Amino acid sequence: MPPMPGVPETSGLADIAMGDGPVYPLNQVLKWADQLLESLELLHNSNPAAVHGSIRPSNLKIGENGTINLVAAHSDENASDADDFAYSPLEQIWEQLDPASQKVIINSFDDQAEADLLAPLDARSDLCSLAASLYHMMTGRKPADALERSIEFLDGNPDPLPRPDSLDHNISAPVAEAIMTALNVKRGERHAS
């Protein structure tokens, strides 16, 4: 595949201005999603199983041939950075939350959801981060983060994260549903693989 016009070779997606509206053609994002899902499947099914734990646009690189690659996080990058909250599942940012926020959120979870929240990161955590990155690439909008969404749910408000097909009618309902399931705040309600 030839390089995409306007996309520097081996660039990180975070280096590319993401203004209003989709930056990348939907068919390209879906091809990249397939490539990234294959990479994650290999990682998650390795022996021993591994979790990337830092999937966000800055760790997705477009190669010379137009393929996308998942790279390791730089040592100076941290999931607690405000800019990265949008790509991190609740279980990944949990330790950075103040005790009062933790208590309010955990009191709204049943025993299984609490156990899932406090368990180590797993494939569902990576899939949530990937879905957040894909959401941004498809819609041109950074998704509402898990903490903001949790607070809105606790207040009885609707989800502040609009479905991607409501933002771009070219996104099919099944793709939107897969993205929204992977972005569920509760890990047990996400895709297992």
Side-chain angles (χ1 to χ4, degrees):
M1 176 185 324
M4 291 183 56
V7 178
E9 294 178 356
T10 64
S11 69
L13 297 179
D15 300 333
I16 300 165
M18 294 184 118
D20 293 330
V23 175
Y24 303 104
L26 181 59
N27 64 343
Q28 182 63 61
V29 175
L30 293 175
K31 286 178 187 174
W32 286 338
D34 285 341
Q35 293 169 16
L36 293 166
L37 287 167
E38 286 177 15
S39 296
L40 284 178
E41 184 175 15
L42 290 172
L43 184 67
H44 296 155
N45 292 325
S46 63
N47 189 7
V51 174
H52 187 279
S54 190
I55 300 171
R56 52 187 172 262
S58 61
N59 291 330
L60 302 176
K61 303 293 181 191
I62 301 168
E64 293 178 14
N65 60 359
T67 60
I68 197 163
N69 299 295
L70 181 58
V71 298
H74 295 31
S75 60
D76 61 340
E77 292 178 326
N78 187 323
S80 68
D81 291 341
D83 198 43
D84 292 335
F85 263 39
Y87 309 105
S88 300
L90 188 59
E91 63 269 16
Q92 189 167 13
I93 62 173
W94 186 252
E95 292 301 318
Q96 287 101 41
L97 301 181
D98 63 271
S101 296
Q102 287 180 340
K103 184 176 181 180
V104 169
I105 292 170
I106 207 101
N107 285 340
S108 70
F109 282 22
D110 63 25
D111 290 343
Q112 183 58 56
E114 180 180 346
D116 287 341
L117 176 63
L118 301 176
L121 299 181
D122 62 15
R124 297 170 293 181
S125 306
D126 275 350
L127 291 174
C128 183
S129 294
L130 176 58
S133 297
L134 293 172
Y135 182 101
H136 196 165
M137 293 177 354
M138 285 180 187
T139 67
R141 289 177 57 173
K142 187 180 287 190
D145 65 66
L147 177 59
E148 176 187 351
R149 294 176 71 206
S150 296
I151 292 167
E152 291 299 320
F153 294 148
L154 287 170
D155 289 341
N157 296 325
D159 193 343
L161 180 67
R163 285 177 54 99
D165 53 347
S166 72
L167 300 173
D168 181 347
H169 298 296
N170 294 314
I171 299 171
S172 70
V175 168
E177 188 60 36
I179 294 287
M180 294 304 288
T181 299
L183 285 170
N184 202 300
V185 171
K186 293 182 179 178
R187 190 183 337 193
E189 296 178 15
R190 297 184 205 138
H191 305 289
S193 64

CSV table of all heavy atoms in Angstrom, one decimal, residues 135-176:
chain,number,residue,atom,x,y,z
A,135,TYR,N,-12.0,5.1,17.9
A,135,TYR,CA,-13.1,6.1,18.0
A,135,TYR,C,-12.5,7.5,17.6
A,135,TYR,O,-13.2,8.2,16.8
A,135,TYR,CB,-13.6,6.1,19.4
A,135,TYR,CG,-14.7,7.1,19.7
A,135,TYR,CD1,-16.0,6.5,19.8
A,135,TYR,CD2,-14.6,8.4,19.9
A,135,TYR,CE1,-17.1,7.4,20.0
A,135,TYR,CE2,-15.7,9.3,20.1
A,135,TYR,CZ,-16.9,8.7,20.2
A,135,TYR,OH,-18.0,9.5,20.4
A,136,HIS,N,-11.4,7.9,18.1
A,136,HIS,CA,-10.8,9.2,17.8
A,136,HIS,C,-10.4,9.2,16.3
A,136,HIS,O,-10.7,10.2,15.6
A,136,HIS,CB,-9.6,9.4,18.6
A,136,HIS,CG,-9.1,10.8,18.7
A,136,HIS,ND1,-8.3,11.3,19.6
A,136,HIS,CD2,-9.4,11.9,17.9
A,136,HIS,CE1,-8.0,12.6,19.4
A,136,HIS,NE2,-8.7,13.0,18.3
A,137,MET,N,-9.9,8.2,15.8
A,137,MET,CA,-9.5,8.2,14.3
A,137,MET,C,-10.7,8.2,13.4
A,137,MET,O,-10.6,8.8,12.4
A,137,MET,CB,-8.6,7.0,14.1
A,137,MET,CG,-7.3,7.1,14.7
A,137,MET,SD,-6.1,5.7,14.6
A,137,MET,CE,-6.9,4.4,13.8
A,138,MET,N,-11.8,7.6,13.8
A,138,MET,CA,-13.0,7.5,13.0
A,138,MET,C,-13.8,8.8,13.0
A,138,MET,O,-14.4,9.2,12.0
A,138,MET,CB,-13.9,6.4,13.5
A,138,MET,CG,-13.5,5.0,13.1
A,138,MET,SD,-14.7,3.8,13.8
A,138,MET,CE,-13.8,2.3,13.5
A,139,THR,N,-13.9,9.4,14.2
A,139,THR,CA,-14.8,10.5,14.4
A,139,THR,C,-14.0,11.9,14.4
A,139,THR,O,-14.7,12.9,14.3
A,139,THR,CB,-15.6,10.4,15.7
A,139,THR,OG1,-14.7,10.5,16.8
A,139,THR,CG2,-16.3,9.1,15.7
A,140,GLY,N,-12.7,11.9,14.7
A,140,GLY,CA,-12.0,13.1,14.8
A,140,GLY,C,-12.2,13.7,16.2
A,140,GLY,O,-11.8,14.9,16.5
A,141,ARG,N,-12.9,13.0,17.1
A,141,ARG,CA,-13.1,13.5,18.5
A,141,ARG,C,-12.5,12.6,19.5
A,141,ARG,O,-12.7,11.4,19.4
A,141,ARG,CB,-14.6,13.5,18.7
A,141,ARG,CG,-15.3,14.6,18.0
A,141,ARG,CD,-16.8,14.7,18.2
A,141,ARG,NE,-17.2,14.8,19.6
A,141,ARG,CZ,-18.4,15.0,20.0
A,141,ARG,NH1,-19.4,15.0,19.1
A,141,ARG,NH2,-18.7,15.1,21.3
A,142,LYS,N,-11.8,13.2,20.4
A,142,LYS,CA,-11.2,12.4,21.5
A,142,LYS,C,-12.4,11.9,22.4
A,142,LYS,O,-13.3,12.7,22.7
A,142,LYS,CB,-10.3,13.2,22.4
A,142,LYS,CG,-9.6,12.5,23.4
A,142,LYS,CD,-8.7,13.3,24.2
A,142,LYS,CE,-7.5,13.7,23.4
A,142,LYS,NZ,-6.4,14.4,24.2
A,143,PRO,N,-12.5,10.6,22.7
A,143,PRO,CA,-13.6,10.1,23.5
A,143,PRO,C,-13.6,10.6,24.9
A,143,PRO,O,-12.5,10.9,25.5
A,143,PRO,CB,-13.4,8.6,23.5
A,143,PRO,CG,-12.0,8.4,23.2
A,143,PRO,CD,-11.5,9.6,22.4
A,144,ALA,N,-14.8,10.8,25.5
A,144,ALA,CA,-14.9,11.1,26.9
A,144,ALA,C,-14.2,10.0,27.7
A,144,ALA,O,-14.3,8.8,27.4
A,144,ALA,CB,-16.4,11.2,27.3
A,145,ASP,N,-13.5,10.4,28.8
A,145,ASP,CA,-12.7,9.4,29.5
A,145,ASP,C,-13.6,8.6,30.5
A,145,ASP,O,-14.7,9.0,30.8
A,145,ASP,CB,-11.5,10.0,30.2
A,145,ASP,CG,-11.9,11.0,31.3
A,145,ASP,OD1,-12.5,10.6,32.3
A,145,ASP,OD2,-11.6,12.2,31.1
A,146,ALA,N,-13.0,7.5,31.0
A,146,ALA,CA,-13.8,6.5,31.8
A,146,ALA,C,-14.2,7.2,33.1
A,146,ALA,O,-15.3,6.9,33.6
A,146,ALA,CB,-13.0,5.3,32.1
A,147,LEU,N,-13.4,8.1,33.7
A,147,LEU,CA,-13.7,8.7,34.9
A,147,LEU,C,-14.9,9.7,34.7
A,147,LEU,O,-15.9,9.7,35.5
A,147,LEU,CB,-12.6,9.5,35.5
A,147,LEU,CG,-12.8,10.3,36.8
A,147,LEU,CD1,-13.3,9.4,37.9
A,147,LEU,CD2,-11.6,11.1,37.2
A,148,GLU,N,-14.9,10.5,33.7
A,148,GLU,CA,-16.0,11.4,33.4
A,148,GLU,C,-17.3,10.6,33.1
A,148,GLU,O,-18.3,11.0,33.6
A,148,GLU,CB,-15.6,12.2,32.1
A,148,GLU,CG,-16.8,13.1,31.6
A,148,GLU,CD,-16.5,13.8,30.3
A,148,GLU,OE1,-15.3,13.7,29.8
A,148,GLU,OE2,-17.4,14.4,29.8
A,149,ARG,N,-17.2,9.5,32.4
A,149,ARG,CA,-18.3,8.7,32.1
A,149,ARG,C,-18.9,8.1,33.4
A,149,ARG,O,-20.1,8.1,33.6
A,149,ARG,CB,-18.0,7.6,31.1
A,149,ARG,CG,-17.6,8.2,29.7
A,149,ARG,CD,-17.2,7.1,28.8
A,149,ARG,NE,-18.3,6.3,28.4
A,149,ARG,CZ,-18.2,5.1,28.0
A,149,ARG,NH1,-17.0,4.5,27.9
A,149,ARG,NH2,-19.3,4.4,27.6
A,150,SER,N,-18.0,7.6,34.3
A,150,SER,CA,-18.5,7.0,35.6
A,150,SER,C,-19.2,8.1,36.4
A,150,SER,O,-20.3,7.8,37.0
A,150,SER,CB,-17.3,6.5,36.4
A,150,SER,OG,-16.6,5.5,35.7
A,151,ILE,N,-18.7,9.3,36.5
A,151,ILE,CA,-19.3,10.3,37.2
A,151,ILE,C,-20.7,10.7,36.7
A,151,ILE,O,-21.7,10.8,37.4
A,151,ILE,CB,-18.4,11.6,37.3
A,151,ILE,CG1,-17.2,11.3,38.1
A,151,ILE,CG2,-19.2,12.8,37.8
A,151,ILE,CD1,-16.1,12.3,38.0
A,152,GLU,N,-20.8,10.7,35.3
A,152,GLU,CA,-22.1,11.0,34.7
A,152,GLU,C,-23.1,9.9,35.0
A,152,GLU,O,-24.3,10.2,35.3
A,152,GLU,CB,-21.9,11.2,33.2
A,152,GLU,CG,-21.2,12.5,32.8
A,152,GLU,CD,-21.9,13.8,33.3
A,152,GLU,OE1,-23.1,13.9,33.2
A,152,GLU,OE2,-21.2,14.7,33.8
A,153,PHE,N,-22.7,8.7,34.9
A,153,PHE,CA,-23.6,7.5,35.2
A,153,PHE,C,-24.0,7.6,36.7
A,153,PHE,O,-25.2,7.4,37.0
A,153,PHE,CB,-22.9,6.2,35.0
A,153,PHE,CG,-22.5,5.9,33.5
A,153,PHE,CD1,-21.4,5.2,33.2
A,153,PHE,CD2,-23.3,6.4,32.5
A,153,PHE,CE1,-21.1,4.9,31.9
A,153,PHE,CE2,-23.0,6.1,31.2
A,153,PHE,CZ,-21.9,5.4,30.9
A,154,LEU,N,-23.1,7.9,37.6
A,154,LEU,CA,-23.5,8.0,39.0
A,154,LEU,C,-24.5,9.1,39.3
A,154,LEU,O,-25.4,9.0,40.1
A,154,LEU,CB,-22.2,8.3,39.9
A,154,LEU,CG,-21.3,7.1,40.0
A,154,LEU,CD1,-20.0,7.6,40.7
A,154,LEU,CD2,-21.9,6.0,40.9
A,155,ASP,N,-24.4,10.2,38.5
A,155,ASP,CA,-25.4,11.3,38.6
A,155,ASP,C,-26.7,11.0,37.9
A,155,ASP,O,-27.6,11.9,37.9
A,155,ASP,CB,-24.7,12.6,38.1
A,155,ASP,CG,-23.6,13.1,39.0
A,155,ASP,OD1,-23.6,12.7,40.2
A,155,ASP,OD2,-22.8,14.0,38.5
A,156,GLY,N,-26.8,9.9,37.3
A,156,GLY,CA,-28.0,9.5,36.5
A,156,GLY,C,-28.1,10.2,35.2
A,156,GLY,O,-29.2,10.2,34.6
A,157,ASN,N,-27.0,10.7,34.7
A,157,ASN,CA,-27.0,11.3,33.4
A,157,ASN,C,-26.7,10.3,32.3
A,157,ASN,O,-26.1,9.3,32.5
A,157,ASN,CB,-26.0,12.4,33.3
A,157,ASN,CG,-26.3,13.5,34.3
A,157,ASN,OD1,-27.5,13.8,34.5
A,157,ASN,ND2,-25.3,14.1,34.9
A,158,PRO,N,-27.1,10.7,31.0
A,158,PRO,CA,-26.7,9.8,29.9
A,158,PRO,C,-25.2,9.8,29.7
A,158,PRO,O,-24.5,10.6,30.1
A,158,PRO,CB,-27.5,10.4,28.7
A,158,PRO,CG,-27.8,11.8,29.1
A,158,PRO,CD,-27.8,11.8,30.6
A,159,ASP,N,-24.8,8.8,28.9
A,159,ASP,CA,-23.4,8.6,28.6
A,159,ASP,C,-22.9,9.8,27.8
A,159,ASP,O,-23.5,10.2,26.8
A,159,ASP,CB,-23.2,7.3,27.7
A,159,ASP,CG,-21.8,6.9,27.6
A,159,ASP,OD1,-20.9,7.7,27.9
A,159,ASP,OD2,-21.6,5.7,27.2
A,160,PRO,N,-21.8,10.5,28.3
A,160,PRO,CA,-21.3,11.6,27.5
A,160,PRO,C,-20.5,11.3,26.3
A,160,PRO,O,-20.1,12.1,25.5
A,160,PRO,CB,-20.4,12.3,28.6
A,160,PRO,CG,-19.9,11.2,29.4
A,160,PRO,CD,-21.1,10.3,29.5
A,161,LEU,N,-20.4,10.0,26.1
A,161,LEU,CA,-19.7,9.5,24.9
A,161,LEU,C,-20.7,9.1,23.8
A,161,LEU,O,-21.4,8.1,23.9
A,161,LEU,CB,-18.8,8.2,25.2
A,161,LEU,CG,-18.0,7.6,24.1
A,161,LEU,CD1,-16.9,8.6,23.6
A,161,LEU,CD2,-17.4,6.3,24.5
A,162,PRO,N,-20.9,9.9,22.8
A,162,PRO,CA,-21.8,9.6,21.7
A,162,PRO,C,-21.4,8.4,20.9
A,162,PRO,O,-20.2,8.2,20.7
A,162,PRO,CB,-21.9,10.9,20.9
A,162,PRO,CG,-20.8,11.7,21.3
A,162,PRO,CD,-20.2,11.2,22.6
A,163,ARG,N,-22.3,7.6,20.5
A,163,ARG,CA,-22.0,6.5,19.6
A,163,ARG,C,-21.3,7.1,18.3
A,163,ARG,O,-21.7,8.1,17.8
A,163,ARG,CB,-23.2,5.7,19.2
A,163,ARG,CG,-23.8,4.8,20.3
A,163,ARG,CD,-25.1,4.2,19.8
A,163,ARG,NE,-24.9,3.5,18.5
A,163,ARG,CZ,-24.8,2.1,18.4
A,163,ARG,NH1,-24.8,1.4,19.5
A,163,ARG,NH2,-24.6,1.6,17.2
A,164,PRO,N,-20.3,6.4,17.8
A,164,PRO,CA,-19.6,6.9,16.6
A,164,PRO,C,-20.5,7.0,15.4
A,164,PRO,O,-20.3,8.0,14.6
A,164,PRO,CB,-18.4,5.9,16.4
A,164,PRO,CG,-18.7,4.7,17.2
A,164,PRO,CD,-19.7,5.2,18.3
A,165,ASP,N,-21.5,6.2,15.3
A,165,ASP,CA,-22.4,6.3,14.1
A,165,ASP,C,-23.3,7.5,14.2
A,165,ASP,O,-23.9,7.9,13.2
A,165,ASP,CB,-23.1,5.0,13.9
A,165,ASP,CG,-23.9,4.4,15.1
A,165,ASP,OD1,-23.7,4.9,16.2
A,165,ASP,OD2,-24.7,3.5,14.9
A,166,SER,N,-23.4,8.1,15.4
A,166,SER,CA,-24.2,9.3,15.5
A,166,SER,C,-23.4,10.5,15.1
A,166,SER,O,-24.0,11.5,14.8
A,166,SER,CB,-24.8,9.5,17.0
A,166,SER,OG,-23.7,9.8,17.9
A,167,LEU,N,-22.1,10.4,15.1
A,167,LEU,CA,-21.2,11.4,14.7
A,167,LEU,C,-20.9,11.4,13.2
A,167,LEU,O,-20.6,12.4,12.6
A,167,LEU,CB,-19.9,11.4,15.5
A,167,LEU,CG,-20.1,11.6,17.0
A,167,LEU,CD1,-18.8,11.4,17.7
A,167,LEU,CD2,-20.7,12.9,17.3
A,168,ASP,N,-20.9,10.1,12.7
A,168,ASP,CA,-20.6,9.9,11.3
A,168,ASP,C,-21.5,8.8,10.8
A,168,ASP,O,-21.3,7.6,11.2
A,168,ASP,CB,-19.1,9.6,11.1
A,168,ASP,CG,-18.7,9.4,9.6
A,168,ASP,OD1,-19.6,9.2,8.7
A,168,ASP,OD2,-17.5,9.3,9.3
A,169,HIS,N,-22.4,9.1,9.9
A,169,HIS,CA,-23.4,8.1,9.5
A,169,HIS,C,-22.8,7.1,8.5
A,169,HIS,O,-23.5,6.1,8.2
A,169,HIS,CB,-24.6,8.8,8.9
A,169,HIS,CG,-25.3,9.7,9.9
A,169,HIS,ND1,-25.9,9.2,11.0
A,169,HIS,CD2,-25.5,11.0,10.0
A,169,HIS,CE1,-26.5,10.1,11.7
A,169,HIS,NE2,-26.2,11.3,11.1
A,170,ASN,N,-21.5,7.3,8.1
A,170,ASN,CA,-20.9,6.3,7.3
A,170,ASN,C,-20.4,5.1,8.2
A,170,ASN,O,-20.0,4.0,7.6
A,170,ASN,CB,-19.7,6.9,6.6
A,170,ASN,CG,-20.1,7.9,5.5
A,170,ASN,OD1,-21.1,7.7,4.8
A,170,ASN,ND2,-19.5,9.1,5.5
A,171,ILE,N,-20.3,5.3,9.5
A,171,ILE,CA,-19.9,4.2,10.4
A,171,ILE,C,-21.1,3.3,10.6
A,171,ILE,O,-22.2,3.8,11.0
A,171,ILE,CB,-19.4,4.8,11.7
A,171,ILE,CG1,-18.2,5.7,11.5
A,171,ILE,CG2,-19.1,3.6,12.7
A,171,ILE,CD1,-17.7,6.4,12.7
A,172,SER,N,-21.0,2.0,10.3
A,172,SER,CA,-22.1,1.1,10.4
A,172,SER,C,-22.4,0.8,11.9
A,172,SER,O,-21.6,1.0,12.8
A,172,SER,CB,-21.7,-0.2,9.7
A,172,SER,OG,-20.8,-0.9,10.5
A,173,ALA,N,-23.7,0.5,12.1
A,173,ALA,CA,-24.2,0.2,13.4
A,173,ALA,C,-23.4,-1.0,14.1
A,173,ALA,O,-23.0,-0.9,15.3
A,173,ALA,CB,-25.7,-0.2,13.4
A,174,PRO,N,-23.0,-2.1,13.3
A,174,PRO,CA,-22.2,-3.1,14.0
A,174,PRO,C,-20.8,-2.6,14.4
A,174,PRO,O,-20.3,-3.0,15.5
A,174,PRO,CB,-22.1,-4.2,12.9
A,174,PRO,CG,-23.3,-4.0,12.0
A,174,PRO,CD,-23.5,-2.5,12.0
A,175,VAL,N,-20.2,-1.8,13.6
A,175,VAL,CA,-18.9,-1.3,14.0
A,175,VAL,C,-19.0,-0.4,15.2
A,175,VAL,O,-18.3,-0.5,16.2
A,175,VAL,CB,-18.2,-0.5,12.8
A,175,VAL,CG1,-17.0,0.3,13.3
A,175,VAL,CG2,-17.8,-1.5,11.7
A,176,ALA,N,-20.0,0.5,15.2
A,176,ALA,CA,-20.3,1.4,16.4
A,176,ALA,C,-20.6,0.6,17.6
A,176,ALA,O,-20.0,0.9,18.7
A,176,ALA,CB,-21.4,2.3,16.1
